Every structure is written in C-alpha cells, then in structure tokens.
Amino acid sequence: NGGGGGEEVGISEEGEENKHIIVFVHGYQGNSWDMRLFKNHLALIFPEHLFLLSSNNEGHTEGDIGDMGGRLASEIVEFIVENCPLGFKKLSIVAHSLGGLIARAAIAKKKMEPYLSRLHTFMSLASPHCGYMYSKNTVLETGIWVLKKWSKSLCLTQLSMTDDPNPENCFVYKLSKQRGLEHFQNCLLLASQQDYYSPFHSSRIELHHDALRSQKHGKVYTSMVQNLLKPLKRPIRRYNVSFVNKKTNLDSIIGRTAHILFLDNHLYMVMVCHVYKSLFE
C-alpha cells in the first residue's frame, strides 16, 4: 500500500505504462474513507489497477472549490510520479457530491494538461454540477443559509451561487465554461429523486422546467447546462438510482439518506461495479 490517501492494489505482470489509475473524490465534510467501499468493489474486479483515495481536501471542504481542485490536481500528479514513473494508460475518476465539482476544477488546472489525453471514465454520484439552483428542499436551503452565516462556508456560498451579485461571475457558472468532461471517453451521472441534498436536475446536468419560465436566473442555468454539454464529443449517460428505504426519520424526510446511500449501499455498489465494469477496464 502507498502512503496517504493513495493505495496501489495488486501487482500486474504488465508494465507501468499499461496501468489504469482510478481516483476517488469525497464530498462536503467528507474524507477518503467515504469512498473505500466503492474502491474495494472495483479492486476485487480489477486487482491490477491503481487506486487513489483522495485525502488532500480533508478538513478543507468549507473553502474555495477552485482551491480544492488545485489540491486534488497536485495529489493526482504526485501519485502518478510516485507510482507510474514510466507512464500509465488510463485515468478515471469516481466522485461523490461536491467531489464532482472538485474533480472538474482539478481537470481544468494547468498541471493536469499532460494527462488529458488519458482520461477515460468520469462517474459522479449525486454531484450538484449546476449548483443548488431550483432546489425544492427548503430544509436544506435553510441549513445552507445557517452554515454560510455560522461557519462562513465559501463552498456553500459558491454552490448556492451567491458568491457574486452577478450570477455569471459566480464560481459554479465560471467552472461550467472551463473545459473538462469532454476529455473523458465515458461520462456517467448518477442521481436519485430521493436525494434532496443534490438537486436531481443538477446532478444530471439537464434543464429544469422552472428555468424555462424564470426571468431572473433561467438563462443563467440554461447557459450552464449548455456550457457543460455542448463540448462533449460523446453522449452523456444519466442513471436514476432508486433506493429501498423502509425507515422514516429526519434524514429520509430531508433527503439525506439517499445522498449517503450512494456511498454505503452494498447492493447498489455491486450492481454499479459489475454492470458498468467495462468502463473501468
């Protein structure tokens, strides 16, 4: 095993230049352990792959998403230098929640340019790629407002697109104009209508009916979706995940349960890893 959040799993008879690196990126207030179950399932299928459980942003997810992207980019480059000095074949990313935006911000960094041609699969799990615009979760909106005031969370301010009076100057909008997803051979967006923490339409990068009627921010949201989708050379894949949850509690009412189940529901994890394993070969 490697140090820090990165782990080298298995020893392949093939040379380093044939390696496939898979990077796992945690979300808001998360850590590298959040992604361990997903990594373990893929490691059973592909023991010869290299796996990096990102840890550089642990304890820093209240800050600037762009800075988080910079830390992730540095972590990826360091992992490549340490584990693949002779080169590698593919680089894929699996990201949860905020991690999806952190990953996109990392790909846009200059230090990642030498590796763009090797980007293979991007899979986001309930990532609010277009921010929290048109969220229907009033409890979440209240919670975000409190956290922004109490902890002065720049990240939540950016996700709610209140970091600048002009929406087109907000970080999430500007990130939508930066290239990134089009470099991947495969792009999968997993979302759940049971998840109120990451708006369904935002996780799927698709238009929302309210945006089509909104005079205030409708054009901005529509533009973000077009900015993200237009450069893609291949069709994006969207999947709606429905979790079976028989318990009714505060977490299920506010939609947090489904958001967390993307990380620790065993049956769903097995299904995703085996049904889409060809995308990680």
Side-chain angles (χ1 to χ4, degrees):
N1 291 343
E7 296 186 11
E8 183 174 357
V9 182
I11 300 176
S12 173
E13 294 181 357
E14 299 179 346
E16 289 178 0
E17 63 275 10
N18 292 318
K19 289 288 189 180
H20 188 166
I21 301 171
I22 302 181
V23 180
F24 295 86
V25 189
H26 66 76
Y28 179 66
Q29 295 185 341
N31 58 66
S32 59
W33 282 86
D34 293 346
M35 307 297 291
R36 185 167 292 269
L37 183 61
F38 208 120
K39 186 274 294 183
N40 288 345
H41 280 295
L42 279 181
L44 290 174
I45 302 172
F46 303 108
E48 71 280 4
H49 285 7
L50 296 177
F51 299 89
L52 168 62
L53 290 166
S54 175
S55 60
N56 269 14
N57 284 306
E58 291 180 5
H60 299 291
T61 58
E62 299 287 0
D64 177 72
I65 300 174
D67 290 345
M68 295 182 223
R71 283 190 286 269
L72 175 61
S74 297
E75 188 175 19
I76 293 173
V77 172
E78 182 180 347
F79 183 84
I80 292 171
V81 171
E82 291 182 357
N83 294 279
C84 304
L86 300 180
F88 64 98
K89 188 175 183 179
K90 299 175 182 177
L91 174 66
S92 294
I93 295 177
V94 179
H96 176 248
S97 190
L98 172 64
L101 285 87
I102 297 174
R104 286 171 43 215
I107 295 302
K109 298 299 181 182
K110 189 173 181 61
K111 63 182 64 179
M112 289 296 296
E113 286 184 0
Y115 312 112
L116 295 181
S117 63
R118 301 175 207 180
L119 295 180
H120 188 61
T121 293
F122 178 88
M123 176 183 285
S124 66
L125 317 172
S127 294
H129 291 289
C130 299
Y132 290 143
M133 196 175 290
Y134 303 116
S135 169
K136 297 298 184 182
N137 190 344
T138 55
V139 175
L140 176 62
E141 290 175 352
T142 301
I144 289 175
W145 183 85
V146 172
L147 285 171
K148 286 193 300 183
K149 296 295 183 180
W150 180 261
S151 63
K152 300 189 184 302
S153 174
L154 177 56
C155 162
L156 294 181
T157 300
Q158 291 174 328
L159 286 175
S160 57
M161 297 187 68
T162 55
D163 47 316
D164 192 277
N166 182 351
E168 293 188 0
N169 290 331
C170 290
F171 176 84
V172 172
Y173 182 85
K174 289 192 290 186
L175 181 62
S176 76
K177 298 180 71 175
Q178 293 184 300
R179 295 300 177 91
L181 295 182
E182 69 273 15
H183 294 294
F184 289 90
Q185 299 299 308
N186 311 289
C187 185
L188 294 84
L189 308 177
L190 276 64
S192 175
Q193 291 180 312
Q194 299 162 290
D195 175 15
Y196 301 153
Y197 265 45
S198 181
F200 189 66
H201 53 281
S202 185
S203 295
R204 290 165 56 90
I205 312 181
E206 62 183 5
L207 295 177
H208 189 275
H209 56 83
D210 285 349
L212 301 177
R213 298 193 296 260
S214 172
Q215 296 294 322
K216 186 176 182 181
H217 297 308
K219 290 184 179 179
V220 172
Y221 181 84
T222 300
S223 179
M224 279 196 295
V225 172
Q226 293 173 341
N227 292 342
L228 288 165
L229 299 183
K230 190 174 182 179
L232 298 181
K233 302 178 182 67
R234 300 168 183 81
I236 203 167
R237 306 186 190 191
R238 299 181 177 94
Y239 297 98
N240 181 15
V241 181
S242 181
F243 296 104
V244 176
N245 180 41
K246 298 181 180 179
K247 295 181 180 180
T248 301
N249 51 34
L250 179 60
D251 280 347
S252 64
I253 293 174
I254 65 175
R256 182 176 181 272
T257 297
H259 196 68
I260 300 303
L261 286 176
F262 274 102
L263 297 176
D264 58 19
N265 184 286
H266 178 74
L267 292 178
Y268 136 83
M269 203 78 69
V270 170
M271 180 203 73
V272 170
C273 291
H274 284 272
V275 171
Y276 307 120
K277 67 179 182 180
S278 63
L279 303 181
F280 293 101
E281 289 178 347

Tab-separated table of all heavy atoms in Angstrom, residues 222-273:
chain	number	residue	atom	x	y	z
A	222	THR	N	-29.738	27.675	-17.808
A	222	THR	CA	-29.746	27.049	-19.133
A	222	THR	C	-28.380	27.150	-19.790
A	222	THR	O	-27.893	26.203	-20.412
A	222	THR	CB	-30.804	27.717	-20.033
A	222	THR	OG1	-32.095	27.575	-19.432
A	222	THR	CG2	-30.821	27.081	-21.415
A	223	SER	N	-27.743	28.294	-19.625
A	223	SER	CA	-26.415	28.501	-20.187
A	223	SER	C	-25.389	27.554	-19.548
A	223	SER	O	-24.524	27.017	-20.242
A	223	SER	CB	-25.982	29.953	-19.993
A	223	SER	OG	-24.689	30.177	-20.508
A	224	MET	N	-25.491	27.338	-18.235
A	224	MET	CA	-24.571	26.417	-17.559
A	224	MET	C	-24.687	25.011	-18.125
A	224	MET	O	-23.687	24.335	-18.384
A	224	MET	CB	-24.838	26.389	-16.045
A	224	MET	CG	-24.234	27.524	-15.273
A	224	MET	SD	-24.187	27.198	-13.483
A	224	MET	CE	-25.938	27.133	-13.102
A	225	VAL	N	-25.923	24.559	-18.296
A	225	VAL	CA	-26.151	23.223	-18.849
A	225	VAL	C	-25.548	23.126	-20.253
A	225	VAL	O	-24.858	22.149	-20.576
A	225	VAL	CB	-27.665	22.900	-18.889
A	225	VAL	CG1	-27.920	21.595	-19.651
A	225	VAL	CG2	-28.218	22.790	-17.466
A	226	GLN	N	-25.780	24.140	-21.063
A	226	GLN	CA	-25.243	24.132	-22.427
A	226	GLN	C	-23.722	24.206	-22.427
A	226	GLN	O	-23.060	23.550	-23.249
A	226	GLN	CB	-25.838	25.299	-23.215
A	226	GLN	CG	-27.334	25.164	-23.472
A	226	GLN	CD	-27.936	26.404	-24.116
A	226	GLN	OE1	-27.361	27.489	-24.074
A	226	GLN	NE2	-29.116	26.239	-24.718
A	227	ASN	N	-23.156	24.992	-21.514
A	227	ASN	CA	-21.696	25.092	-21.415
A	227	ASN	C	-21.065	23.739	-21.130
A	227	ASN	O	-19.986	23.407	-21.658
A	227	ASN	CB	-21.294	26.070	-20.304
A	227	ASN	CG	-21.641	27.505	-20.624
A	227	ASN	OD1	-21.869	27.857	-21.783
A	227	ASN	ND2	-21.691	28.342	-19.599
A	228	LEU	N	-21.734	22.950	-20.278
A	228	LEU	CA	-21.195	21.651	-19.877
A	228	LEU	C	-21.397	20.579	-20.940
A	228	LEU	O	-20.537	19.715	-21.136
A	228	LEU	CB	-21.840	21.202	-18.560
A	228	LEU	CG	-21.408	21.964	-17.316
A	228	LEU	CD1	-22.357	21.687	-16.152
A	228	LEU	CD2	-19.986	21.572	-16.929
A	229	LEU	N	-22.525	20.631	-21.623
A	229	LEU	CA	-22.868	19.548	-22.547
A	229	LEU	C	-22.385	19.769	-23.984
A	229	LEU	O	-22.043	18.806	-24.677
A	229	LEU	CB	-24.380	19.331	-22.556
A	229	LEU	CG	-25.022	18.923	-21.229
A	229	LEU	CD1	-26.519	18.671	-21.430
A	229	LEU	CD2	-24.350	17.684	-20.635
A	230	LYS	N	-22.361	21.000	-24.432
A	230	LYS	CA	-22.047	21.267	-25.833
A	230	LYS	C	-20.665	20.765	-26.261
A	230	LYS	O	-20.519	20.234	-27.376
A	230	LYS	CB	-22.176	22.768	-26.118
A	230	LYS	CG	-22.098	23.102	-27.605
A	230	LYS	CD	-22.379	24.573	-27.848
A	230	LYS	CE	-22.341	24.895	-29.342
A	230	LYS	NZ	-22.633	26.339	-29.593
A	231	PRO	N	-19.616	20.885	-25.422
A	231	PRO	CA	-18.287	20.433	-25.868
A	231	PRO	C	-18.126	18.918	-25.915
A	231	PRO	O	-17.139	18.422	-26.476
A	231	PRO	CB	-17.340	21.029	-24.806
A	231	PRO	CG	-18.136	22.084	-24.111
A	231	PRO	CD	-19.545	21.592	-24.132
A	232	LEU	N	-19.060	18.162	-25.329
A	232	LEU	CA	-18.913	16.712	-25.258
A	232	LEU	C	-18.918	16.086	-26.646
A	232	LEU	O	-19.765	16.398	-27.487
A	232	LEU	CB	-20.032	16.098	-24.412
A	232	LEU	CG	-20.091	16.528	-22.940
A	232	LEU	CD1	-21.233	15.813	-22.241
A	232	LEU	CD2	-18.770	16.231	-22.235
A	233	LYS	N	-17.986	15.187	-26.861
A	233	LYS	CA	-17.872	14.507	-28.151
A	233	LYS	C	-18.705	13.234	-28.185
A	233	LYS	O	-18.987	12.704	-29.248
A	233	LYS	CB	-16.408	14.177	-28.433
A	233	LYS	CG	-15.477	15.389	-28.446
A	233	LYS	CD	-14.038	14.969	-28.693
A	233	LYS	CE	-13.096	16.167	-28.672
A	233	LYS	NZ	-12.999	16.776	-27.336
A	234	ARG	N	-19.084	12.733	-27.011
A	234	ARG	CA	-19.856	11.500	-26.917
A	234	ARG	C	-21.083	11.735	-26.043
A	234	ARG	O	-21.057	12.595	-25.159
A	234	ARG	CB	-19.006	10.373	-26.329
A	234	ARG	CG	-17.770	10.050	-27.165
A	234	ARG	CD	-16.807	9.147	-26.407
A	234	ARG	NE	-15.598	8.916	-27.192
A	234	ARG	CZ	-14.586	9.751	-27.263
A	234	ARG	NH1	-14.630	10.899	-26.586
A	234	ARG	NH2	-13.515	9.473	-27.993
A	235	PRO	N	-22.134	10.971	-26.247
A	235	PRO	CA	-23.350	11.139	-25.429
A	235	PRO	C	-23.061	10.905	-23.957
A	235	PRO	O	-22.323	9.984	-23.590
A	235	PRO	CB	-24.300	10.065	-25.987
A	235	PRO	CG	-23.798	9.773	-27.355
A	235	PRO	CD	-22.305	9.921	-27.283
A	236	ILE	N	-23.636	11.738	-23.122
A	236	ILE	CA	-23.507	11.568	-21.678
A	236	ILE	C	-24.491	10.489	-21.224
A	236	ILE	O	-25.539	10.290	-21.847
A	236	ILE	CB	-23.781	12.913	-20.963
A	236	ILE	CG1	-23.127	12.949	-19.598
A	236	ILE	CG2	-25.267	13.203	-20.872
A	236	ILE	CD1	-23.099	14.343	-19.006
A	237	ARG	N	-24.156	9.757	-20.188
A	237	ARG	CA	-25.032	8.711	-19.680
A	237	ARG	C	-25.587	9.148	-18.321
A	237	ARG	O	-24.821	9.495	-17.430
A	237	ARG	CB	-24.276	7.390	-19.531
A	237	ARG	CG	-23.571	6.935	-20.803
A	237	ARG	CD	-22.975	5.561	-20.625
A	237	ARG	NE	-22.111	5.199	-21.741
A	237	ARG	CZ	-21.629	3.983	-21.945
A	237	ARG	NH1	-21.922	3.015	-21.093
A	237	ARG	NH2	-20.845	3.725	-22.978
A	238	ARG	N	-26.888	9.114	-18.205
A	238	ARG	CA	-27.538	9.504	-16.963
A	238	ARG	C	-28.303	8.306	-16.395
A	238	ARG	O	-29.009	7.622	-17.132
A	238	ARG	CB	-28.517	10.659	-17.183
A	238	ARG	CG	-27.892	11.934	-17.717
A	238	ARG	CD	-28.953	13.007	-17.878
A	238	ARG	NE	-28.421	14.284	-18.327
A	238	ARG	CZ	-28.361	14.657	-19.591
A	238	ARG	NH1	-28.788	13.824	-20.540
A	238	ARG	NH2	-27.876	15.847	-19.928
A	239	TYR	N	-28.156	8.091	-15.091
A	239	TYR	CA	-28.839	6.967	-14.462
A	239	TYR	C	-29.538	7.434	-13.193
A	239	TYR	O	-28.945	8.137	-12.366
A	239	TYR	CB	-27.849	5.845	-14.133
A	239	TYR	CG	-27.198	5.270	-15.367
A	239	TYR	CD1	-25.936	5.687	-15.773
A	239	TYR	CD2	-27.864	4.337	-16.159
A	239	TYR	CE1	-25.341	5.187	-16.923
A	239	TYR	CE2	-27.285	3.828	-17.315
A	239	TYR	CZ	-26.023	4.257	-17.690
A	239	TYR	OH	-25.445	3.763	-18.832
A	240	ASN	N	-30.788	7.052	-13.070
A	240	ASN	CA	-31.586	7.380	-11.897
A	240	ASN	C	-31.553	6.185	-10.943
A	240	ASN	O	-31.985	5.087	-11.305
A	240	ASN	CB	-33.025	7.700	-12.307
A	240	ASN	CG	-33.895	8.070	-11.121
A	240	ASN	OD1	-33.379	8.365	-10.043
A	240	ASN	ND2	-35.204	8.056	-11.312
A	241	VAL	N	-31.032	6.385	-9.757
A	241	VAL	CA	-30.922	5.318	-8.770
A	241	VAL	C	-32.069	5.443	-7.764
A	241	VAL	O	-32.293	6.516	-7.196
A	241	VAL	CB	-29.573	5.387	-8.023
A	241	VAL	CG1	-29.466	4.254	-7.003
A	241	VAL	CG2	-28.412	5.320	-9.013
A	242	SER	N	-32.794	4.359	-7.567
A	242	SER	CA	-33.888	4.339	-6.599
A	242	SER	C	-33.518	3.390	-5.462
A	242	SER	O	-33.315	2.191	-5.677
A	242	SER	CB	-35.186	3.871	-7.275
A	242	SER	OG	-36.255	3.879	-6.346
A	243	PHE	N	-33.404	3.935	-4.270
A	243	PHE	CA	-33.016	3.139	-3.111
A	243	PHE	C	-34.245	2.652	-2.359
A	243	PHE	O	-35.235	3.382	-2.224
A	243	PHE	CB	-32.141	3.955	-2.153
A	243	PHE	CG	-30.821	4.367	-2.731
A	243	PHE	CD1	-30.610	5.673	-3.156
A	243	PHE	CD2	-29.783	3.456	-2.862
A	243	PHE	CE1	-29.387	6.063	-3.694
A	243	PHE	CE2	-28.562	3.833	-3.387
A	243	PHE	CZ	-28.369	5.136	-3.798
A	244	VAL	N	-34.173	1.426	-1.847
A	244	VAL	CA	-35.240	0.886	-0.999
A	244	VAL	C	-34.919	1.275	0.437
A	244	VAL	O	-33.920	0.844	1.003
A	244	VAL	CB	-35.334	-0.649	-1.110
A	244	VAL	CG1	-36.381	-1.180	-0.143
A	244	VAL	CG2	-35.682	-1.050	-2.535
A	245	ASN	N	-35.752	2.105	1.017
A	245	ASN	CA	-35.533	2.555	2.388
A	245	ASN	C	-36.852	2.505	3.140
A	245	ASN	O	-37.766	3.290	2.889
A	245	ASN	CB	-34.976	3.989	2.412
A	245	ASN	CG	-34.748	4.484	3.827
A	245	ASN	OD1	-34.267	3.752	4.675
A	245	ASN	ND2	-35.103	5.733	4.073
A	246	LYS	N	-36.955	1.566	4.053
A	246	LYS	CA	-38.207	1.362	4.783
A	246	LYS	C	-38.304	2.194	6.058
A	246	LYS	O	-39.350	2.233	6.704
A	246	LYS	CB	-38.363	-0.127	5.122
A	246	LYS	CG	-38.443	-1.020	3.885
A	246	LYS	CD	-38.611	-2.481	4.260
A	246	LYS	CE	-38.692	-3.352	3.010
A	246	LYS	NZ	-38.840	-4.794	3.353
A	247	LYS	N	-37.211	2.848	6.413
A	247	LYS	CA	-37.207	3.645	7.628
A	247	LYS	C	-37.598	5.097	7.325
A	247	LYS	O	-37.160	5.673	6.344
A	247	LYS	CB	-35.819	3.621	8.279
A	247	LYS	CG	-35.387	2.240	8.772
A	247	LYS	CD	-34.017	2.325	9.424
A	247	LYS	CE	-33.566	0.958	9.933
A	247	LYS	NZ	-32.223	1.027	10.563
A	248	THR	N	-38.416	5.653	8.172
A	248	THR	CA	-38.784	7.062	8.053
A	248	THR	C	-38.216	7.819	9.246
A	248	THR	O	-38.577	7.569	10.391
A	248	THR	CB	-40.319	7.243	8.027
A	248	THR	OG1	-40.859	6.522	6.919
A	248	THR	CG2	-40.671	8.713	7.891
A	249	ASN	N	-37.280	8.689	8.971
A	249	ASN	CA	-36.674	9.500	10.022
A	249	ASN	C	-36.340	10.866	9.435
A	249	ASN	O	-36.663	11.154	8.281
A	249	ASN	CB	-35.419	8.818	10.589
A	249	ASN	CG	-34.449	8.385	9.493
A	249	ASN	OD1	-34.332	9.053	8.472
A	249	ASN	ND2	-33.757	7.260	9.713
A	250	LEU	N	-35.694	11.693	10.214
A	250	LEU	CA	-35.377	13.047	9.747
A	250	LEU	C	-34.510	13.011	8.494
A	250	LEU	O	-34.741	13.765	7.556
A	250	LEU	CB	-34.670	13.837	10.850
A	250	LEU	CG	-34.258	15.279	10.483
A	250	LEU	CD1	-35.479	16.106	10.102
A	250	LEU	CD2	-33.510	15.936	11.640
A	251	ASP	N	-33.517	12.116	8.468
A	251	ASP	CA	-32.626	12.027	7.317
A	251	ASP	C	-33.383	11.676	6.040
A	251	ASP	O	-33.095	12.217	4.963
A	251	ASP	CB	-31.527	10.985	7.565
A	251	ASP	CG	-30.401	11.544	8.424
A	251	ASP	OD1	-30.363	12.769	8.612
A	251	ASP	OD2	-29.572	10.753	8.904
A	252	SER	N	-34.331	10.747	6.148
A	252	SER	CA	-35.085	10.364	4.952
A	252	SER	C	-36.037	11.471	4.522
A	252	SER	O	-36.269	11.681	3.325
A	252	SER	CB	-35.870	9.071	5.217
A	252	SER	OG	-36.856	9.262	6.218
A	253	ILE	N	-36.569	12.198	5.476
A	253	ILE	CA	-37.501	13.290	5.161
A	253	ILE	C	-36.791	14.432	4.439
A	253	ILE	O	-37.318	14.996	3.479
A	253	ILE	CB	-38.175	13.812	6.455
A	253	ILE	CG1	-39.097	12.731	7.039
A	253	ILE	CG2	-38.972	15.089	6.171
A	253	ILE	CD1	-39.676	13.097	8.383
A	254	ILE	N	-35.588	14.766	4.876
A	254	ILE	CA	-34.859	15.878	4.259
A	254	ILE	C	-33.999	15.406	3.080
A	254	ILE	O	-33.294	16.203	2.468
A	254	ILE	CB	-33.975	16.615	5.284
A	254	ILE	CG1	-32.863	15.693	5.816
A	254	ILE	CG2	-34.815	17.167	6.416
A	254	ILE	CD1	-31.892	16.401	6.749
A	255	GLY	N	-34.064	14.106	2.762
A	255	GLY	CA	-33.368	13.603	1.588
A	255	GLY	C	-31.909	13.278	1.776
A	255	GLY	O	-31.195	12.999	0.812
A	256	ARG	N	-31.438	13.289	3.020
A	256	ARG	CA	-30.025	12.989	3.268
A	256	ARG	C	-29.723	11.503	3.131
A	256	ARG	O	-28.635	11.109	2.724
A	256	ARG	CB	-29.622	13.467	4.664
A	256	ARG	CG	-28.145	13.237	4.997
A	256	ARG	CD	-27.789	13.813	6.357
A	256	ARG	NE	-26.380	13.630	6.666
A	256	ARG	CZ	-25.882	12.557	7.267
A	256	ARG	NH1	-26.692	11.550	7.615
A	256	ARG	NH2	-24.585	12.452	7.518
A	257	THR	N	-30.696	10.647	3.475
A	257	THR	CA	-30.476	9.198	3.452
A	257	THR	C	-30.001	8.727	2.088
A	257	THR	O	-29.000	8.019	1.963
A	257	THR	CB	-31.772	8.447	3.841
A	257	THR	OG1	-32.124	8.785	5.183
A	257	THR	CG2	-31.563	6.939	3.741
A	258	ALA	N	-30.712	9.100	1.037
A	258	ALA	CA	-30.338	8.678	-0.310
A	258	ALA	C	-28.967	9.217	-0.703
A	258	ALA	O	-28.194	8.531	-1.390
A	258	ALA	CB	-31.392	9.134	-1.316
A	259	HIS	N	-28.651	10.436	-0.273
A	259	HIS	CA	-27.358	11.032	-0.598
A	259	HIS	C	-26.222	10.191	-0.028
A	259	HIS	O	-25.191	9.998	-0.682
A	259	HIS	CB	-27.301	12.457	-0.034
A	259	HIS	CG	-26.213	13.295	-0.618
A	259	HIS	ND1	-26.212	13.717	-1.927
A	259	HIS	CD2	-25.068	13.785	-0.068
A	259	HIS	CE1	-25.130	14.450	-2.165
A	259	HIS	NE2	-24.419	14.488	-1.052
A	260	ILE	N	-26.417	9.668	1.194
A	260	ILE	CA	-25.400	8.852	1.851
A	260	ILE	C	-25.389	7.434	1.301
A	260	ILE	O	-24.335	6.782	1.232
A	260	ILE	CB	-25.628	8.834	3.376
A	260	ILE	CG1	-25.552	10.258	3.938
A	260	ILE	CG2	-24.606	7.942	4.071
A	260	ILE	CD1	-24.259	10.981	3.644
A	261	LEU	N	-26.558	6.922	0.898
A	261	LEU	CA	-26.622	5.555	0.372
A	261	LEU	C	-25.799	5.385	-0.900
A	261	LEU	O	-25.425	4.262	-1.256
A	261	LEU	CB	-28.079	5.163	0.107
A	261	LEU	CG	-28.924	4.859	1.354
A	261	LEU	CD1	-30.364	4.576	0.973
A	261	LEU	CD2	-28.338	3.679	2.131
A	262	PHE	N	-25.499	6.465	-1.587
A	262	PHE	CA	-24.615	6.368	-2.747
A	262	PHE	C	-23.232	5.856	-2.342
A	262	PHE	O	-22.482	5.353	-3.181
A	262	PHE	CB	-24.461	7.742	-3.412
A	262	PHE	CG	-25.532	8.055	-4.417
A	262	PHE	CD1	-26.584	8.903	-4.092
A	262	PHE	CD2	-25.500	7.509	-5.693
A	262	PHE	CE1	-27.574	9.205	-5.019
A	262	PHE	CE2	-26.483	7.794	-6.624
A	262	PHE	CZ	-27.529	8.641	-6.294
A	263	LEU	N	-22.914	5.981	-1.051
A	263	LEU	CA	-21.600	5.577	-0.558
A	263	LEU	C	-21.589	4.254	0.189
A	263	LEU	O	-20.548	3.592	0.234
A	263	LEU	CB	-21.033	6.658	0.389
A	263	LEU	CG	-20.763	8.028	-0.213
A	263	LEU	CD1	-20.296	8.983	0.881
A	263	LEU	CD2	-19.707	7.931	-1.317
A	264	ASP	N	-22.707	3.866	0.771
A	264	ASP	CA	-22.643	2.680	1.634
A	264	ASP	C	-23.747	1.655	1.414
A	264	ASP	O	-23.950	0.779	2.260
A	264	ASP	CB	-22.609	3.098	3.109
A	264	ASP	CG	-23.807	3.943	3.528
A	264	ASP	OD1	-24.829	3.913	2.817
A	264	ASP	OD2	-23.715	4.624	4.571
A	265	ASN	N	-24.470	1.740	0.286
A	265	ASN	CA	-25.454	0.704	-0.012
A	265	ASN	C	-24.767	-0.408	-0.806
A	265	ASN	O	-24.380	-0.229	-1.959
A	265	ASN	CB	-26.619	1.290	-0.818
A	265	ASN	CG	-27.717	0.275	-1.062
A	265	ASN	OD1	-27.560	-0.623	-1.872
A	265	ASN	ND2	-28.830	0.420	-0.365
A	266	HIS	N	-24.624	-1.559	-0.181
A	266	HIS	CA	-23.836	-2.648	-0.761
A	266	HIS	C	-24.415	-3.159	-2.076
A	266	HIS	O	-23.689	-3.328	-3.065
A	266	HIS	CB	-23.741	-3.800	0.254
A	266	HIS	CG	-22.994	-4.989	-0.254
A	266	HIS	ND1	-21.617	-5.013	-0.382
A	266	HIS	CD2	-23.438	-6.204	-0.687
A	266	HIS	CE1	-21.249	-6.183	-0.866
A	266	HIS	NE2	-22.319	-6.926	-1.060
A	267	LEU	N	-25.714	-3.412	-2.136
A	267	LEU	CA	-26.329	-3.979	-3.331
A	267	LEU	C	-26.196	-3.047	-4.538
A	267	LEU	O	-25.895	-3.472	-5.654
A	267	LEU	CB	-27.800	-4.303	-3.064
A	267	LEU	CG	-28.070	-5.437	-2.070
A	267	LEU	CD1	-29.570	-5.604	-1.860
A	267	LEU	CD2	-27.453	-6.742	-2.552
A	268	TYR	N	-26.440	-1.771	-4.293
A	268	TYR	CA	-26.303	-0.791	-5.379
A	268	TYR	C	-24.856	-0.742	-5.858
A	268	TYR	O	-24.584	-0.671	-7.066
A	268	TYR	CB	-26.786	0.575	-4.888
A	268	TYR	CG	-25.911	1.748	-5.251
A	268	TYR	CD1	-26.001	2.360	-6.503
A	268	TYR	CD2	-24.988	2.256	-4.332
A	268	TYR	CE1	-25.202	3.440	-6.828
A	268	TYR	CE2	-24.185	3.323	-4.652
A	268	TYR	CZ	-24.288	3.912	-5.900
A	268	TYR	OH	-23.491	4.981	-6.226
A	269	MET	N	-23.908	-0.794	-4.914
A	269	MET	CA	-22.496	-0.722	-5.254
A	269	MET	C	-22.077	-1.902	-6.128
A	269	MET	O	-21.372	-1.739	-7.124
A	269	MET	CB	-21.655	-0.704	-3.981
A	269	MET	CG	-20.291	-0.090	-4.150
A	269	MET	SD	-20.342	1.713	-4.176
A	269	MET	CE	-20.796	2.082	-2.497
A	270	VAL	N	-22.532	-3.105	-5.768
A	270	VAL	CA	-22.203	-4.302	-6.547
A	270	VAL	C	-22.773	-4.178	-7.952
A	270	VAL	O	-22.097	-4.493	-8.944
A	270	VAL	CB	-22.752	-5.572	-5.848
A	270	VAL	CG1	-22.632	-6.778	-6.781
A	270	VAL	CG2	-22.017	-5.824	-4.541
A	271	MET	N	-24.023	-3.718	-8.035
A	271	MET	CA	-24.661	-3.577	-9.336
A	271	MET	C	-23.898	-2.606	-10.232
A	271	MET	O	-23.594	-2.916	-11.397
A	271	MET	CB	-26.102	-3.077	-9.165
A	271	MET	CG	-26.848	-2.910	-10.476
A	271	MET	SD	-28.244	-1.754	-10.377
A	271	MET	CE	-27.382	-0.171	-10.274
A	272	VAL	N	-23.573	-1.435	-9.705
A	272	VAL	CA	-22.875	-0.420	-10.490
A	272	VAL	C	-21.518	-0.934	-10.971
A	272	VAL	O	-21.160	-0.792	-12.154
A	272	VAL	CB	-22.690	0.872	-9.668
A	272	VAL	CG1	-21.748	1.839	-10.401
A	272	VAL	CG2	-24.023	1.548	-9.422
A	273	CYS	N	-20.762	-1.558	-10.072
A	273	CYS	CA	-19.412	-2.018	-10.411
A	273	CYS	C	-19.417	-3.126	-11.454
A	273	CYS	O	-18.520	-3.201	-12.297
A	273	CYS	CB	-18.682	-2.481	-9.155
A	273	CYS	SG	-18.255	-1.139	-8.016
